[in-house]
Amino acid sequence: MIPEILSRRVRTAIESALTVTLLMFCAAIDAQDTDPRDNPQAYRFAGLDLSEWELAWSDEFDYVDARLDENWISRQGEFESDWVVGRRWRRNAVVVDGVLELRNEKNEDDPHVWSSASVWTREAFGYGYYEARYRYAGAYGTNNSFWFWPINGIAEGQKACEIDVNEGHYPNIVNTNVHNWTDTWITPDGRETHGDNQLHHTPFGEPDHTIVPDAPVTASRVRLTSNNPASIHLREFRVLAPSESGYPSADADLAASGITNLARAEDAVFSTVGIFDRLPSREEFAVDGRLDTRWISSKHGPKWLQVEWREPRTIGAIQFMNGWPQEGGVHRNLIADYTLEYFDGQQWVRLAAYDGSAVANFAAEYHTFGLEWSEDYFKWYLDGELFHTLRNDVCFSDVNILLSMAILNADIAGPVTDAIDGTSMKVDYVRYYKRMRAI
């Protein structure tokens, strides 16, 4: 309220100024609502509108194989990393019927046994929206990558920046990462490391699993085993006594149901393959009765957990919650496969098995993997839908586009087996867009 002590003319002038200010404020709010690029917070979560972009470069692979070398350079067998099995060659990159195939081959006469392919663009690119449509190789152990690296050189004063749009692992895991390879440091155990932001996204699948046998079983032990790429994130594991009224969901309050969780019995002994020590985790978190803690298994190799009792127990159901919830109801780190067994006193008996490829198989289906890269943010898209945003604090100079098929050791992407032989990463197209106007 304007004080009455002021003259009418002064009060009128002040009221007019306040009205103009209020109108300008409302207009600004309206502009933020209609154009999220004017509001950094709104832009961070805004989806993709390709009408705001123009295609600046693309490769549709609609040509004969020999023309691949016009746009792309191929890795030719040189040693790369202890993590990569075999070597990669131009001969394994084959254009056929409008698709670039990065093929995996096994040859016992080859001193490196395995071969794959990796190609990168002759041209380098800057900020924009990038998209590739491709299918994974249909086997564990493979790394199906669409990523960026400054192969043509790093601008003076800039960082050696790697941007992973997707290091895809069969059957449907999407891995994103931004590496700063310039600023490294030595950990207390003497290991050289660098800044990164590796995340394992699992856009398909369910966090809760409840297994109810046709009739209760009697067992002295139960175990879950898995070849899941990377770590298992288990929020809660329950072994339930029989219930005539059925069983609640795996994320329900068990105390309210009155059903006994045998995994928390006094004589229960819980053991696992171990933990991933770079994240907060304990083995007992898997059976602590809480959903806000998690056991994170060791990262490489087969994974397992087991519950054992001194005397056999009658089991009506087994259930568990896995993965880690994110905004929008999606999860990261959902399990890709498992086998659930019980020991009947004589032998292990399979109770259930799960294969994530039955839910979503990225080797059988094409998907588009996109990245919007600006001076301020990275925004990752799957089939045109935004699923992850990260502040850009390191990548500010041009990079080359890479398409890479790699076989990884140490079970980083799951076990390396003969199932890999003859598989391939199949790329339909790669496209680069620039905004019609700068943000």
Side-chain angles (χ1 to χ4, degrees):
M1 180 180 293
I2 308 300
E4 290 294 329
I5 194 171
L6 297 176
S7 70
R8 180 178 298 175
R9 180 177 298 175
V10 172
R11 290 202 311 270
T12 300
I14 293 175
E15 288 170 352
S16 297
L18 289 173
T19 300
V20 170
T21 301
L22 179 60
L23 290 173
M24 291 177 63
F25 176 77
C26 292
I29 294 298
D30 289 340
Q32 289 175 4
D33 290 340
T34 57
D35 191 348
R37 293 174 300 173
D38 295 331
N39 180 342
Q41 189 68 9
Y43 164 70
R44 180 178 179 183
F45 298 104
L48 180 70
D49 182 357
L50 272 182
S51 68
E52 298 182 345
W53 302 80
E54 59 182 353
L55 187 63
W57 182 93
S58 69
D59 197 332
E60 309 291 324
F61 305 109
D62 52 354
Y63 45 71
V64 297
D65 180 72
R67 289 188 56 197
L68 178 69
D69 304 311
E70 296 177 8
N71 288 334
W72 305 83
I73 298 172
S74 297
R75 186 174 290 281
Q76 283 293 83
E78 62 267 30
F79 178 78
E80 306 162 63
S81 165
D82 291 336
W83 300 115
V84 177
V85 176
R87 294 292 183 267
R88 294 189 273 190
W89 304 94
R90 167 63 174 92
R91 66 173 181 266
N92 291 66
V94 181
V95 177
V96 55
D97 296 331
V99 173
L100 171 63
E101 297 185 7
L102 305 181
R103 296 175 174 175
N104 297 307
E105 296 179 356
K106 184 178 184 181
N107 183 355
E108 298 289 357
D109 295 329
D110 186 328
H112 305 295
V113 183
W114 288 100
S115 63
S116 300
S118 178
V119 299
W120 57 87
T121 54
R122 295 182 179 274
E123 187 177 350
F125 308 90
Y127 302 138
Y129 174 68
Y130 297 79
E131 185 175 86
R133 183 174 186 263
Y134 65 94
R135 289 163 50 184
Y136 292 4
Y140 276 147
T142 59
N143 200 52
N144 304 260
S145 300
F146 170 38
W147 58 295
F148 309 149
W149 175 254
I151 294 176
N152 290 0
I154 302 167
E156 184 176 355
Q158 298 297 322
K159 308 293 186 183
C161 176
E162 174 187 338
I163 308 170
D164 298 323
V165 183
N166 178 27
E167 287 191 292
H169 294 168
Y170 176 83
N172 53 44
I173 298 173
V174 178
N175 292 295
T176 64
N177 207 342
V178 175
H179 298 262
N180 175 0
W181 289 100
T182 295
D183 302 323
T184 62
W185 64 92
I186 304 299
T187 63
D189 60 1
R191 178 177 53 86
E192 184 177 15
T193 190
H194 65 280
D196 65 6
N197 188 265
Q198 186 177 54
L199 295 173
H200 305 274
H201 306 271
T202 44
F204 300 96
E206 297 297 332
D208 53 324
H209 292 257
T210 297
I211 297 91
V212 181
D214 294 335
V217 299
T218 300
S220 57
R221 283 175 278 171
V222 298
R223 70 182 180 189
L224 181 147
T225 57
S226 175
N227 286 313
N228 187 73
S231 300
I232 293 174
H233 290 235
L234 201 65
R235 298 164 61 196
E236 187 64 18
F237 185 81
R238 298 169 172 172
V239 182
L240 303 181
S243 170
E244 293 183 359
S245 59
Y247 302 93
S249 62
D251 62 348
D253 180 7
L254 195 60
S257 71
I259 301 173
T260 300
N261 182 3
L262 301 173
R264 292 174 53 79
E266 289 186 3
D267 65 335
V269 177
F270 183 71
S271 56
T272 77
V273 67
I275 64 170
F276 182 53
D277 57 6
R278 298 187 198 175
L279 291 172
S281 171
R282 296 179 184 175
E283 290 180 306
E284 59 266 28
F285 284 170
V287 289
D288 63 358
R290 299 172 53 176
L291 292 174
D292 59 348
T293 60
R294 51 180 166 166
W295 165 63
I296 306 172
S297 75
S298 51
K299 190 172 184 178
H300 303 154
K303 288 85 179 175
W304 58 267
L305 64 86
Q306 177 174 284
V307 181
E308 182 175 4
W309 303 271
R310 285 195 297 268
E311 297 295 332
R313 298 300 183 100
T314 302
I315 299 167
I318 297 175
Q319 59 182 197
F320 62 89
M321 289 290 295
N322 81 111
W324 206 238
Q326 307 299 307
E327 292 181 356
V330 298
H331 285 74
R332 288 204 289 260
N333 303 98
L334 292 177
I335 197 168
D337 74 70
Y338 67 79
T339 299
L340 190 62
E341 300 169 294
Y342 67 94
F343 192 74
D344 66 0
Q346 300 293 327
Q347 60 184 347
W348 285 101
V349 179
R350 177 178 291 191
L351 190 60
Y354 173 79
D355 181 354
S357 67
V359 177
N361 185 350
F362 284 15
E365 312 149 1
Y366 277 101
H367 291 274
T368 56
F369 305 93
L371 179 80
E372 183 180 341
W373 171 30
S374 71
E375 185 177 9
D376 298 312
Y377 289 103
F378 304 102
K379 299 171 67 175
W380 281 265
Y381 297 84
L382 175 63
D383 295 329
E385 296 295 325
L386 178 68
F387 70 90
H388 178 49
T389 301
L390 178 69
R391 182 76 184 180
N392 180 13
D393 295 318
V394 63
C395 302
F396 307 107
S397 58
D398 289 358
V399 293
N400 300 78
I401 302 172
L402 293 94
L403 300 168
S404 298
M405 178 74 264
I407 302 170
L408 302 182
N409 66 14
D411 288 318
I412 295 173
V416 174
T417 69
D418 286 351
I420 297 173
D421 189 20
T423 64
S424 63
M425 172 181 166
K426 296 177 175 65
V427 186
D428 184 26
Y429 63 74
V430 181
R431 295 170 183 169
Y432 167 61
Y433 298 81
K434 288 185 178 180
R435 274 198 181 273
M436 293 182 183
R437 69 178 180 88
I439 295 175

